[in-house]
Amino acid sequence: MKNLIKNLFGFSTSTNNNEKKGETMENMFCFQCEQAANGGCSKVGVCGKQPDVAALQDLLVYTMKGIAFWADKARGKGVKNAEIDHFMIDGLFTTVTNVDFSAEEVAKLVRKGATLLEKAQTLFEQANGGAYAGAVPEAAKGFTATSTAELVALGAAHGVKSDAIDADVKSVQEIIVYGMKGYAAYAHHALVIGRENDEIYAFTHKALAATLDLTLGLMDFVGLAMECGRINLVTMELLDKANTDSFGHPVPTPVQLGTKAGKAILVSGHDLRMLEELLKQTEGKGINIYTHGEMLPAHGYPGLKKYAHLAGNFGGAWQDQAKEFVNFPGAIIFNTNCIQRPAESYKDRLFTWGLVQWPDVKNINGMDFAPVIEKALALPGFEENLGQEILTGFGHNAVLGVADKVIAAVKAGDIRHFFLIGGCDGAKSGRNYYTEFAENVPKDCVILTLACGKYRFNKLDFGDIGGIPRLLDIGQCNDAYSAIQIAVALAGAFNCGVNELPLSFILSWYEQKAVAILLTLLHLGVKNIKLGPSLPAFITPNVLNFLVENFNIGPIGTAEGDLKQILG
């Protein structure tokens, strides 16, 4: 247990170059991502988030809690509002790490939130036939500040630090909020395709409102955390169906890692509908489209791979963009939470889309990509440079389509164990563990992988077992849904629980979507998860002890030691 606690606070002591030497006053506090310096960024975010943006994002969450107070009570009277529901998803997603770095854009959302708070209160009072009779939390009373400077000052008073709430209760509240931020990203992608589920909105209001209820205790919030995991599963299922209905089920597909002669656009992020629209608008224009980061699995979808100019994948995980993008002679566009501070060498050919914002970078709001196309046509593009191919497209439909062969291989002893090695990648030291682990997995074991953590090892040749590839790329982080479906199907085939399967979860985390997925696994009762490279700073020792005692969750150790422990 002592080693676990030590690991919990074992954060890197590196600081951001923008921090002033000798400065001790805290301008902000954020510890929602894995790379947070010294247990929490207090001057400038390691991600590049400035104190004013941090304060505005804190105020946005605070405002959404106030909206949720009224919206939850209005729902209790049978009244719902789509504008409010959609705003809550967009607002939560905006505050996810590496989404919005623009103070003015976040301030616009805060002002809209203040208006919607009044609307939510009015909806309740109309349905109630009068004012609320109970005590109204401060967050639900709204505010009159309007200028960005006033909002920043107000936001500084409503950050995540609080001495008024028990530390363990606050810890679980933060886990819930970060889980909601994670599933909000998936709900946003589904909504872009026109799919939504009212259960997601109802829980969002209930859970955010609960954080204002001082009568609730620790176990009330533990229950809400488990329910948040269930709602994330509902959301991932919604997005999976939205994607597969729109683009077909992924199929195993070789992806070119080299480049082709011609003009070029690079797409980074997660959103498949945005990619489809760009493919349509560039068809026949002599522009090749490349994926980056979490967009790699797009190549496995029949409805996307049919476009001949979806040429390949360029680069690796999000944290390497600054050194990779300088070598991309075309336009670049981000559609979700992956953007870093852009270097001047490529900033003039960089675009963001939708909620993703960076100051002084052109944002595309909608599905008209003419400015991106125009920029790509003005740039030199690539000469042909074909290279290695890798496989993607092993979603649940593809894997379960050969389940009989997999089951037979397990029963015959040809496959001894399955390892799900996946999650977010990042820049902090310690992530070479995942490469070493994958390299040392015995040749009679199969590796399932997903999200950008796979870039640590997905170019290695793992071979196959009786025609079954030893490395199966399931897809994006949201495709943890596929991994869960595969695990449930195997458990059914062997008439056992998931925890009795020869299956181990070796997870890397970085931001809030990983929190949502972890809560889903805990909701499903999955135990013995290895998590790294460091444990979240927002988890207190008592909450960590609860996770250890009930789920045997623990930090990664050494690749050799962990493999020996798992395989015996």
PDB file of all heavy atoms in Angstrom, residues 4 18-19 21 47 85-87 98 114 137 186 208 235-236 292 298 300 304 307 324 326 353 401 410 417 484 529 552:
ATOM      1  N   LEU A   4       1.948   2.050  -3.388  1.00  0.00           N
ATOM      2  CA  LEU A   4       0.866   2.632  -4.177  1.00  0.00           C
ATOM      3  C   LEU A   4       0.747   4.118  -3.901  1.00  0.00           C
ATOM      4  O   LEU A   4       0.610   4.934  -4.814  1.00  0.00           O
ATOM      5  CB  LEU A   4      -0.460   1.941  -3.843  1.00  0.00           C
ATOM      6  CG  LEU A   4      -0.670   0.530  -4.401  1.00  0.00           C
ATOM      7  CD1 LEU A   4      -1.942  -0.054  -3.816  1.00  0.00           C
ATOM      8  CD2 LEU A   4      -0.737   0.559  -5.900  1.00  0.00           C
ATOM      9  N   ASN A  18       6.966  28.547 -19.927  1.00  0.00           N
ATOM     10  CA  ASN A  18       6.322  29.841 -19.794  1.00  0.00           C
ATOM     11  C   ASN A  18       6.194  30.283 -18.335  1.00  0.00           C
ATOM     12  O   ASN A  18       5.767  31.395 -18.048  1.00  0.00           O
ATOM     13  CB  ASN A  18       4.925  29.809 -20.420  1.00  0.00           C
ATOM     14  CG  ASN A  18       5.021  29.707 -21.916  1.00  0.00           C
ATOM     15  OD1 ASN A  18       5.921  30.249 -22.530  1.00  0.00           O
ATOM     16  ND2 ASN A  18       4.080  28.981 -22.512  1.00  0.00           N
ATOM     17  N   GLU A  19       6.555  29.410 -17.402  1.00  0.00           N
ATOM     18  CA  GLU A  19       6.461  29.801 -16.003  1.00  0.00           C
ATOM     19  C   GLU A  19       7.592  30.771 -15.659  1.00  0.00           C
ATOM     20  O   GLU A  19       8.708  30.647 -16.144  1.00  0.00           O
ATOM     21  CB  GLU A  19       6.563  28.563 -15.097  1.00  0.00           C
ATOM     22  CG  GLU A  19       5.397  27.609 -15.284  1.00  0.00           C
ATOM     23  CD  GLU A  19       5.481  26.438 -14.344  1.00  0.00           C
ATOM     24  OE1 GLU A  19       6.318  26.465 -13.428  1.00  0.00           O
ATOM     25  OE2 GLU A  19       4.699  25.482 -14.512  1.00  0.00           O
ATOM     26  N   LYS A  21      10.426  32.190 -13.438  1.00  0.00           N
ATOM     27  CA  LYS A  21      11.305  31.666 -12.404  1.00  0.00           C
ATOM     28  C   LYS A  21      11.136  32.448 -11.104  1.00  0.00           C
ATOM     29  O   LYS A  21      11.084  33.673 -11.101  1.00  0.00           O
ATOM     30  CB  LYS A  21      12.754  31.734 -12.870  1.00  0.00           C
ATOM     31  CG  LYS A  21      13.052  30.799 -14.049  1.00  0.00           C
ATOM     32  CD  LYS A  21      14.498  30.874 -14.458  1.00  0.00           C
ATOM     33  CE  LYS A  21      14.789  29.928 -15.612  1.00  0.00           C
ATOM     34  NZ  LYS A  21      16.202  29.991 -16.032  1.00  0.00           N
ATOM     35  N   CYS A  47       0.012  21.529 -20.616  1.00  0.00           N
ATOM     36  CA  CYS A  47      -0.617  21.407 -21.930  1.00  0.00           C
ATOM     37  C   CYS A  47      -0.563  22.707 -22.719  1.00  0.00           C
ATOM     38  O   CYS A  47      -0.825  22.724 -23.925  1.00  0.00           O
ATOM     39  CB  CYS A  47      -2.076  20.988 -21.774  1.00  0.00           C
ATOM     40  SG  CYS A  47      -3.107  22.220 -20.941  1.00  0.00           S
ATOM     41  N   ASP A  85     -29.654  20.644 -22.958  1.00  0.00           N
ATOM     42  CA  ASP A  85     -29.005  19.328 -22.989  1.00  0.00           C
ATOM     43  C   ASP A  85     -27.753  19.354 -23.855  1.00  0.00           C
ATOM     44  O   ASP A  85     -26.689  18.861 -23.456  1.00  0.00           O
ATOM     45  CB  ASP A  85     -29.981  18.273 -23.517  1.00  0.00           C
ATOM     46  CG  ASP A  85     -31.126  17.995 -22.561  1.00  0.00           C
ATOM     47  OD1 ASP A  85     -31.004  18.322 -21.366  1.00  0.00           O
ATOM     48  OD2 ASP A  85     -32.153  17.469 -23.017  1.00  0.00           O
ATOM     49  N   HIS A  86     -27.856  19.907 -25.052  1.00  0.00           N
ATOM     50  CA  HIS A  86     -26.718  19.948 -25.971  1.00  0.00           C
ATOM     51  C   HIS A  86     -25.609  20.849 -25.429  1.00  0.00           C
ATOM     52  O   HIS A  86     -24.414  20.541 -25.591  1.00  0.00           O
ATOM     53  CB  HIS A  86     -27.164  20.434 -27.349  1.00  0.00           C
ATOM     54  CG  HIS A  86     -28.111  19.504 -28.019  1.00  0.00           C
ATOM     55  ND1 HIS A  86     -28.812  19.845 -29.162  1.00  0.00           N
ATOM     56  CD2 HIS A  86     -28.502  18.225 -27.722  1.00  0.00           C
ATOM     57  CE1 HIS A  86     -29.594  18.841 -29.526  1.00  0.00           C
ATOM     58  NE2 HIS A  86     -29.414  17.850 -28.668  1.00  0.00           N
ATOM     59  N   PHE A  87     -25.993  21.935 -24.778  1.00  0.00           N
ATOM     60  CA  PHE A  87     -24.988  22.839 -24.219  1.00  0.00           C
ATOM     61  C   PHE A  87     -24.153  22.127 -23.157  1.00  0.00           C
ATOM     62  O   PHE A  87     -22.930  22.335 -23.070  1.00  0.00           O
ATOM     63  CB  PHE A  87     -25.659  24.072 -23.608  1.00  0.00           C
ATOM     64  CG  PHE A  87     -24.684  24.997 -22.928  1.00  0.00           C
ATOM     65  CD1 PHE A  87     -23.941  25.914 -23.662  1.00  0.00           C
ATOM     66  CD2 PHE A  87     -24.483  24.931 -21.542  1.00  0.00           C
ATOM     67  CE1 PHE A  87     -23.027  26.746 -23.033  1.00  0.00           C
ATOM     68  CE2 PHE A  87     -23.579  25.773 -20.916  1.00  0.00           C
ATOM     69  CZ  PHE A  87     -22.851  26.684 -21.667  1.00  0.00           C
ATOM     70  N   ASN A  98      -6.641  19.716 -23.888  1.00  0.00           N
ATOM     71  CA  ASN A  98      -6.242  19.871 -25.289  1.00  0.00           C
ATOM     72  C   ASN A  98      -7.415  20.084 -26.247  1.00  0.00           C
ATOM     73  O   ASN A  98      -7.365  19.650 -27.403  1.00  0.00           O
ATOM     74  CB  ASN A  98      -5.406  18.675 -25.771  1.00  0.00           C
ATOM     75  CG  ASN A  98      -4.064  18.583 -25.080  1.00  0.00           C
ATOM     76  OD1 ASN A  98      -3.930  17.868 -24.094  1.00  0.00           O
ATOM     77  ND2 ASN A  98      -3.086  19.312 -25.570  1.00  0.00           N
ATOM     78  N   ALA A 114     -24.720  31.313 -18.649  1.00  0.00           N
ATOM     79  CA  ALA A 114     -25.456  32.169 -17.710  1.00  0.00           C
ATOM     80  C   ALA A 114     -26.878  32.402 -18.189  1.00  0.00           C
ATOM     81  O   ALA A 114     -27.830  32.409 -17.393  1.00  0.00           O
ATOM     82  CB  ALA A 114     -24.713  33.500 -17.538  1.00  0.00           C
ATOM     83  N   PRO A 137     -28.487  26.597  -4.093  1.00  0.00           N
ATOM     84  CA  PRO A 137     -27.032  26.731  -4.018  1.00  0.00           C
ATOM     85  C   PRO A 137     -26.561  27.985  -4.756  1.00  0.00           C
ATOM     86  O   PRO A 137     -27.209  28.448  -5.698  1.00  0.00           O
ATOM     87  CB  PRO A 137     -26.522  25.462  -4.719  1.00  0.00           C
ATOM     88  CG  PRO A 137     -27.674  24.521  -4.728  1.00  0.00           C
ATOM     89  CD  PRO A 137     -28.904  25.363  -4.786  1.00  0.00           C
ATOM     90  N   TYR A 186     -17.580  11.669 -26.433  1.00  0.00           N
ATOM     91  CA  TYR A 186     -18.219  10.640 -27.260  1.00  0.00           C
ATOM     92  C   TYR A 186     -19.642  11.035 -27.645  1.00  0.00           C
ATOM     93  O   TYR A 186     -20.071  10.802 -28.786  1.00  0.00           O
ATOM     94  CB  TYR A 186     -18.224   9.304 -26.509  1.00  0.00           C
ATOM     95  CG  TYR A 186     -16.863   8.830 -26.081  1.00  0.00           C
ATOM     96  CD1 TYR A 186     -16.674   8.170 -24.870  1.00  0.00           C
ATOM     97  CD2 TYR A 186     -15.753   9.041 -26.891  1.00  0.00           C
ATOM     98  CE1 TYR A 186     -15.422   7.731 -24.475  1.00  0.00           C
ATOM     99  CE2 TYR A 186     -14.490   8.606 -26.498  1.00  0.00           C
ATOM    100  CZ  TYR A 186     -14.339   7.954 -25.286  1.00  0.00           C
ATOM    101  OH  TYR A 186     -13.096   7.527 -24.899  1.00  0.00           O
ATOM    102  N   LEU A 208     -24.156  16.396 -11.962  1.00  0.00           N
ATOM    103  CA  LEU A 208     -23.611  17.727 -11.713  1.00  0.00           C
ATOM    104  C   LEU A 208     -24.354  18.417 -10.575  1.00  0.00           C
ATOM    105  O   LEU A 208     -23.746  19.087  -9.737  1.00  0.00           O
ATOM    106  CB  LEU A 208     -23.668  18.579 -12.983  1.00  0.00           C
ATOM    107  CG  LEU A 208     -22.577  18.331 -14.031  1.00  0.00           C
ATOM    108  CD1 LEU A 208     -22.832  19.174 -15.272  1.00  0.00           C
ATOM    109  CD2 LEU A 208     -21.194  18.638 -13.463  1.00  0.00           C
ATOM    110  N   THR A 235     -22.997   5.571 -23.782  1.00  0.00           N
ATOM    111  CA  THR A 235     -22.544   6.558 -24.761  1.00  0.00           C
ATOM    112  C   THR A 235     -21.646   5.927 -25.811  1.00  0.00           C
ATOM    113  O   THR A 235     -21.768   6.218 -27.006  1.00  0.00           O
ATOM    114  CB  THR A 235     -21.798   7.706 -24.050  1.00  0.00           C
ATOM    115  OG1 THR A 235     -22.588   8.178 -22.962  1.00  0.00           O
ATOM    116  CG2 THR A 235     -21.541   8.848 -25.008  1.00  0.00           C
ATOM    117  N   MET A 236     -20.724   5.068 -25.377  1.00  0.00           N
ATOM    118  CA  MET A 236     -19.844   4.394 -26.339  1.00  0.00           C
ATOM    119  C   MET A 236     -20.645   3.496 -27.274  1.00  0.00           C
ATOM    120  O   MET A 236     -20.343   3.385 -28.461  1.00  0.00           O
ATOM    121  CB  MET A 236     -18.765   3.590 -25.611  1.00  0.00           C
ATOM    122  CG  MET A 236     -17.706   4.440 -24.928  1.00  0.00           C
ATOM    123  SD  MET A 236     -16.242   3.505 -24.404  1.00  0.00           S
ATOM    124  CE  MET A 236     -16.953   2.350 -23.229  1.00  0.00           C
ATOM    125  N   HIS A 292      -3.942  11.123 -38.665  1.00  0.00           N
ATOM    126  CA  HIS A 292      -2.918  11.290 -37.636  1.00  0.00           C
ATOM    127  C   HIS A 292      -3.524  10.911 -36.293  1.00  0.00           C
ATOM    128  O   HIS A 292      -4.707  11.148 -36.040  1.00  0.00           O
ATOM    129  CB  HIS A 292      -2.436  12.747 -37.607  1.00  0.00           C
ATOM    130  CG  HIS A 292      -1.505  13.050 -36.473  1.00  0.00           C
ATOM    131  ND1 HIS A 292      -1.934  13.600 -35.271  1.00  0.00           N
ATOM    132  CD2 HIS A 292      -0.163  12.859 -36.342  1.00  0.00           C
ATOM    133  CE1 HIS A 292      -0.891  13.738 -34.465  1.00  0.00           C
ATOM    134  NE2 HIS A 292       0.187  13.308 -35.080  1.00  0.00           N
ATOM    135  N   ALA A 298      -9.844   5.075 -38.841  1.00  0.00           N
ATOM    136  CA  ALA A 298     -10.794   5.445 -39.895  1.00  0.00           C
ATOM    137  C   ALA A 298     -10.583   4.613 -41.150  1.00  0.00           C
ATOM    138  O   ALA A 298     -11.531   4.363 -41.908  1.00  0.00           O
ATOM    139  CB  ALA A 298     -10.655   6.935 -40.225  1.00  0.00           C
ATOM    140  N   GLY A 300     -10.244   1.561 -41.478  1.00  0.00           N
ATOM    141  CA  GLY A 300     -10.919   0.270 -41.451  1.00  0.00           C
ATOM    142  C   GLY A 300     -12.390   0.326 -41.802  1.00  0.00           C
ATOM    143  O   GLY A 300     -13.007  -0.720 -42.062  1.00  0.00           O
ATOM    144  N   LEU A 304     -15.450   4.872 -45.449  1.00  0.00           N
ATOM    145  CA  LEU A 304     -14.373   5.855 -45.543  1.00  0.00           C
ATOM    146  C   LEU A 304     -13.234   5.343 -46.423  1.00  0.00           C
ATOM    147  O   LEU A 304     -12.666   6.108 -47.212  1.00  0.00           O
ATOM    148  CB  LEU A 304     -13.852   6.201 -44.149  1.00  0.00           C
ATOM    149  CG  LEU A 304     -14.877   6.829 -43.197  1.00  0.00           C
ATOM    150  CD1 LEU A 304     -14.291   6.998 -41.794  1.00  0.00           C
ATOM    151  CD2 LEU A 304     -15.357   8.175 -43.728  1.00  0.00           C
ATOM    152  N   TYR A 307     -12.835   5.846 -50.391  1.00  0.00           N
ATOM    153  CA  TYR A 307     -12.250   7.017 -51.034  1.00  0.00           C
ATOM    154  C   TYR A 307     -10.774   6.732 -51.315  1.00  0.00           C
ATOM    155  O   TYR A 307      -9.971   6.575 -50.391  1.00  0.00           O
ATOM    156  CB  TYR A 307     -12.391   8.248 -50.133  1.00  0.00           C
ATOM    157  CG  TYR A 307     -13.820   8.701 -49.960  1.00  0.00           C
ATOM    158  CD1 TYR A 307     -14.586   8.267 -48.880  1.00  0.00           C
ATOM    159  CD2 TYR A 307     -14.413   9.560 -50.889  1.00  0.00           C
ATOM    160  CE1 TYR A 307     -15.904   8.671 -48.724  1.00  0.00           C
ATOM    161  CE2 TYR A 307     -15.729   9.972 -50.735  1.00  0.00           C
ATOM    162  CZ  TYR A 307     -16.470   9.530 -49.651  1.00  0.00           C
ATOM    163  OH  TYR A 307     -17.778   9.937 -49.503  1.00  0.00           O
ATOM    164  N   GLU A 324       6.737  16.458 -35.845  1.00  0.00           N
ATOM    165  CA  GLU A 324       6.291  15.778 -37.065  1.00  0.00           C
ATOM    166  C   GLU A 324       5.658  16.734 -38.070  1.00  0.00           C
ATOM    167  O   GLU A 324       5.869  16.622 -39.281  1.00  0.00           O
ATOM    168  CB  GLU A 324       5.298  14.664 -36.712  1.00  0.00           C
ATOM    169  CG  GLU A 324       5.928  13.508 -35.944  1.00  0.00           C
ATOM    170  CD  GLU A 324       4.901  12.479 -35.496  1.00  0.00           C
ATOM    171  OE1 GLU A 324       3.695  12.781 -35.482  1.00  0.00           O
ATOM    172  OE2 GLU A 324       5.320  11.356 -35.152  1.00  0.00           O
ATOM    173  N   VAL A 326       6.152  19.789 -38.817  1.00  0.00           N
ATOM    174  CA  VAL A 326       7.054  20.643 -39.586  1.00  0.00           C
ATOM    175  C   VAL A 326       7.434  19.984 -40.912  1.00  0.00           C
ATOM    176  O   VAL A 326       7.770  20.656 -41.892  1.00  0.00           O
ATOM    177  CB  VAL A 326       8.321  20.983 -38.748  1.00  0.00           C
ATOM    178  CG1 VAL A 326       9.154  19.739 -38.489  1.00  0.00           C
ATOM    179  CG2 VAL A 326       9.133  22.064 -39.418  1.00  0.00           C
ATOM    180  N   TRP A 353     -11.311  22.700 -35.916  1.00  0.00           N
ATOM    181  CA  TRP A 353     -12.699  22.491 -36.339  1.00  0.00           C
ATOM    182  C   TRP A 353     -13.599  22.360 -35.109  1.00  0.00           C
ATOM    183  O   TRP A 353     -13.235  21.728 -34.113  1.00  0.00           O
ATOM    184  CB  TRP A 353     -12.805  21.222 -37.177  1.00  0.00           C
ATOM    185  CG  TRP A 353     -14.207  20.865 -37.586  1.00  0.00           C
ATOM    186  CD1 TRP A 353     -14.943  21.435 -38.578  1.00  0.00           C
ATOM    187  CD2 TRP A 353     -15.030  19.834 -37.012  1.00  0.00           C
ATOM    188  NE1 TRP A 353     -16.182  20.829 -38.666  1.00  0.00           N
ATOM    189  CE2 TRP A 353     -16.263  19.848 -37.712  1.00  0.00           C
ATOM    190  CE3 TRP A 353     -14.855  18.912 -35.984  1.00  0.00           C
ATOM    191  CZ2 TRP A 353     -17.305  18.969 -37.411  1.00  0.00           C
ATOM    192  CZ3 TRP A 353     -15.888  18.041 -35.676  1.00  0.00           C
ATOM    193  CH2 TRP A 353     -17.098  18.075 -36.391  1.00  0.00           C
ATOM    194  N   GLY A 401     -16.385 -12.242 -35.580  1.00  0.00           N
ATOM    195  CA  GLY A 401     -16.635 -13.009 -36.801  1.00  0.00           C
ATOM    196  C   GLY A 401     -15.735 -14.225 -36.915  1.00  0.00           C
ATOM    197  O   GLY A 401     -16.051 -15.173 -37.645  1.00  0.00           O
ATOM    198  N   VAL A 410      -7.678 -21.124 -28.047  1.00  0.00           N
ATOM    199  CA  VAL A 410      -7.525 -21.097 -26.590  1.00  0.00           C
ATOM    200  C   VAL A 410      -7.674 -22.502 -26.014  1.00  0.00           C
ATOM    201  O   VAL A 410      -6.860 -22.948 -25.187  1.00  0.00           O
ATOM    202  CB  VAL A 410      -8.563 -20.144 -25.953  1.00  0.00           C
ATOM    203  CG1 VAL A 410      -8.500 -20.244 -24.433  1.00  0.00           C
ATOM    204  CG2 VAL A 410      -8.315 -18.708 -26.394  1.00  0.00           C
ATOM    205  N   HIS A 417      -3.004 -16.432 -23.356  1.00  0.00           N
ATOM    206  CA  HIS A 417      -3.480 -15.257 -22.623  1.00  0.00           C
ATOM    207  C   HIS A 417      -3.732 -14.115 -23.595  1.00  0.00           C
ATOM    208  O   HIS A 417      -3.125 -14.038 -24.671  1.00  0.00           O
ATOM    209  CB  HIS A 417      -2.425 -14.842 -21.581  1.00  0.00           C
ATOM    210  CG  HIS A 417      -2.984 -14.085 -20.409  1.00  0.00           C
ATOM    211  ND1 HIS A 417      -3.475 -14.701 -19.290  1.00  0.00           N
ATOM    212  CD2 HIS A 417      -3.150 -12.751 -20.191  1.00  0.00           C
ATOM    213  CE1 HIS A 417      -3.888 -13.794 -18.421  1.00  0.00           C
ATOM    214  NE2 HIS A 417      -3.710 -12.592 -18.952  1.00  0.00           N
ATOM    215  N   ILE A 484     -14.823  -4.445 -24.776  1.00  0.00           N
ATOM    216  CA  ILE A 484     -15.767  -4.978 -23.785  1.00  0.00           C
ATOM    217  C   ILE A 484     -16.656  -6.039 -24.417  1.00  0.00           C
ATOM    218  O   ILE A 484     -16.910  -7.100 -23.820  1.00  0.00           O
ATOM    219  CB  ILE A 484     -16.606  -3.834 -23.191  1.00  0.00           C
ATOM    220  CG1 ILE A 484     -15.725  -2.949 -22.303  1.00  0.00           C
ATOM    221  CG2 ILE A 484     -17.794  -4.378 -22.397  1.00  0.00           C
ATOM    222  CD1 ILE A 484     -16.360  -1.643 -21.899  1.00  0.00           C
ATOM    223  N   ILE A 529      -6.759  -4.396 -12.758  1.00  0.00           N
ATOM    224  CA  ILE A 529      -6.285  -3.493 -13.806  1.00  0.00           C
ATOM    225  C   ILE A 529      -4.955  -2.887 -13.388  1.00  0.00           C
ATOM    226  O   ILE A 529      -4.783  -2.433 -12.250  1.00  0.00           O
ATOM    227  CB  ILE A 529      -7.309  -2.367 -14.054  1.00  0.00           C
ATOM    228  CG1 ILE A 529      -8.630  -2.951 -14.567  1.00  0.00           C
ATOM    229  CG2 ILE A 529      -6.767  -1.328 -15.025  1.00  0.00           C
ATOM    230  CD1 ILE A 529      -9.766  -1.942 -14.578  1.00  0.00           C
ATOM    231  N   ASN A 552      -8.750  -4.338  -6.743  1.00  0.00           N
ATOM    232  CA  ASN A 552      -7.339  -4.701  -6.876  1.00  0.00           C
ATOM    233  C   ASN A 552      -6.660  -3.919  -7.999  1.00  0.00           C
ATOM    234  O   ASN A 552      -5.800  -4.439  -8.699  1.00  0.00           O
ATOM    235  CB  ASN A 552      -7.170  -6.214  -7.100  1.00  0.00           C
ATOM    236  CG  ASN A 552      -5.745  -6.675  -6.796  1.00  0.00           C
ATOM    237  OD1 ASN A 552      -5.085  -6.119  -5.919  1.00  0.00           O
ATOM    238  ND2 ASN A 552      -5.267  -7.665  -7.521  1.00  0.00           N
TER     239      ASN A 552
END
